[in-house]
Amino acid sequence: MKYFLALLTGLLMTLGAAAQALSPDALVKSVTNDVLDIVRKDKDIQAGNTRKAVELAEAKVLPHFDFAHMTRLAVGKAWRQASPAQQQALTDEFRTLLVRTYSKALTEYRNQTIDFKPVKMQAADTDVVVRTLVQQPGGKPVEIDYSLDKTDQGWKVYDISVAAVSLVTNYRGSFAQEISAGGIDGLIGTLRTKNGGSEAAVASKQ
């Protein structure tokens, strides 16, 4: 669960044109602090209301993730073998998987604090890593790195590394096994099964 608690600490971006004007590190810092403040004050989320946590993630996070990019990296070489319809299905299911698990982590927030490291970047850079250190009460600090690229819609998160372990690389291994066993449709089916279980868990905690 430490991995998904890490997602809690920084993958939070605001909506609107103002967010697009911010540098990637300023964006991560300002919105992380804003959303964590919401979680601290929301007794329902703290009590385990996953549905409300999902709504918070939908409102604050999703517009600033490049899920197509993330899914393409996680699927790897097999992405080129997938039809456009399969690629869309993979992206949709991977998005749901990450959002549901991330939302559960929101309900488990327990006063972690975040140190934001200075970002080394040039004005022309379009691919940047924002580094943070998550301080956990009673536990060791966890290094979290956020990879963002600059698009026409602003900066987008396309990968996260927790203690030097990449999200997309971590999923790539399991995805490759699923594809080897059952092809692209097999992976889609596995993701749908997992997400069906997540839906049931969310419904039980409303």
Side-chain angles (χ1 to χ4, degrees):
M1 186 54 63
K2 181 185 294 184
Y3 166 74
F4 289 108
L5 285 175
L7 289 182
L8 166 65
T9 65
L11 302 180
L12 300 166
M13 308 296 179
T14 55
L15 302 174
Q20 296 184 25
L22 292 176
S23 63
D25 54 330
L27 189 60
V28 171
K29 182 176 182 178
S30 64
V31 184
T32 296
N33 290 335
D34 177 51
V35 174
L36 291 185
D37 186 58
I38 293 173
V39 174
R40 291 186 191 104
K41 295 176 180 178
D42 195 309
K43 301 302 182 183
D44 290 337
I45 292 178
Q46 293 178 26
N49 188 322
T50 309
R51 174 65 67 184
K52 198 166 185 180
V54 168
E55 292 172 355
L56 177 60
E58 293 277 355
K60 294 290 187 179
V61 179
L62 303 193
H64 298 277
F65 275 68
D66 190 342
F67 283 106
H69 192 173
M70 294 176 75
T71 308
R72 184 169 69 251
L73 291 174
V75 174
K77 294 180 180 179
W79 180 261
R80 295 191 296 272
Q81 303 169 13
S83 69
Q86 288 174 320
Q87 291 176 351
Q88 186 61 57
L90 285 168
T91 301
D92 291 344
E93 296 301 331
F94 192 39
R95 172 188 182 276
T96 299
L97 177 65
L98 294 178
V99 170
R100 296 299 178 185
T101 311
Y102 166 78
S103 299
K104 185 177 185 297
L106 279 177
T107 67
E108 299 175 357
Y109 172 75
R110 295 297 182 270
N111 295 316
Q112 289 85 355
T113 59
I114 306 97
D115 296 331
F116 298 89
K117 305 302 182 181
V119 173
K120 298 179 180 179
M121 62 178 293
Q122 304 297 320
D125 287 347
T126 59
D127 195 313
V128 174
V129 177
V130 176
R131 303 183 188 281
T132 69
L133 189 66
V134 181
Q135 305 287 353
Q136 304 185 97
K140 294 182 178 180
V142 179
E143 294 181 354
I144 315 295
D145 297 342
Y146 306 99
S147 297
L148 304 93
D149 59 0
K150 192 172 186 179
T151 72
D152 292 340
Q153 293 77 42
W155 290 96
K156 302 284 186 178
V157 174
Y158 69 87
D159 194 13
I160 312 102
S161 294
V162 180
V165 177
S166 159
L167 167 73
V168 297
T169 300
N170 188 52
Y171 274 105
R172 189 178 295 152
S174 61
F175 283 8
Q177 291 178 0
E178 293 290 343
I179 293 170
S180 178
I184 296 294
D185 285 335
L187 173 57
I188 294 171
T190 297
L191 291 173
R192 283 178 175 162
T193 299
K194 289 181 179 180
N195 289 334
S198 295
E199 290 282 358
V202 169
S204 70
K205 294 191 176 184
Q206 292 185 57

